[in-house]
Amino acid sequence: EILNIPSPTGYTTNIVNYLIKECEKRDVKCERIKNGNLIMEIPGKTDFVLGLAAHVDTLGAIVRSISSNGTLRFSILGGPILPTYDGEYCQVITREGKVYTGTFLSNAPATHVYKESSTLPRNADNMHIRLDECVKNKDDVLKLGITNGAFIAVDPKTTITSSNFIKSRFLDDKFSVAILFGLIPNTSFLYADGI
């Protein structure tokens, strides 16, 4: 569930709200601080304090501009390797919270049409996002509520294989968050060696 909640850096409110509900289910005291981080507190048997940290924000992008043909230009958030995004699905999240799907594409996506297709660098200047909507121009996109600064979340492609391998984007560091929550019901590890 954590892997499938979109949370590109700067847009973590929904996932933090989810984690707060998970804390409430487990009777764990938590507090969202001013910068949006969530601090959870599990009491121990001594005054010794142990701090563990993990993060839920992921790589992503934001809408930089809307092209006249209705495609989106983007700027990256974090340090994604953009050649790996070519052909990847994404979600565009408006300021009002509406979500639209789309695809990251090269500006020269097919070798039978574009001579430079295989050599064109995959970077933010040579790529765009095609929305899964009937849009033909910038005004059509604006009518959807998509504006500059809208967050773009990359599909994590989370899969659990038949041999129980977990494959997904953004295992760093959402998997650590899941592990920490997995430790909450059994806090006996906190008391080992007199801690």
Side-chain angles (χ1 to χ4, degrees), residues 40-54:
M40 300 164 41
E41 184 178 324
I42 300 172
K45 289 185 175 180
T46 72
D47 291 336
F48 183 85
V49 176
L50 172 65
L52 302 171

Side-chain angles (χ1 to χ4, degrees), residues 95-163:
R95 295 179 191 274
E96 292 76 32
K98 291 183 180 178
V99 177
Y100 296 95
T101 60
T103 306
F104 283 93
L105 292 171
S106 166
N107 292 343
T111 56
H112 67 281
V113 178
Y114 302 96
K115 289 180 189 178
E116 71 277 17
S117 179
S118 61
T119 58
L120 186 69
R122 275 24 180 205
N123 58 43
D125 291 330
N126 295 321
M127 295 178 71
H128 64 276
I129 292 173
R130 179 188 64 210
L131 292 169
D132 300 328
E133 298 291 327
C134 292
V135 292
K136 296 178 182 172
N137 53 52
K138 181 176 180 176
D139 285 339
D140 289 344
V141 176
L142 291 171
K143 288 175 187 172
L144 297 175
I146 297 172
T147 58
N148 295 358
F151 284 98
I152 302 165
V154 181
D155 186 337
K157 299 178 7 179
T158 303
T159 304
I160 301 175
T161 70
S162 59
S163 54

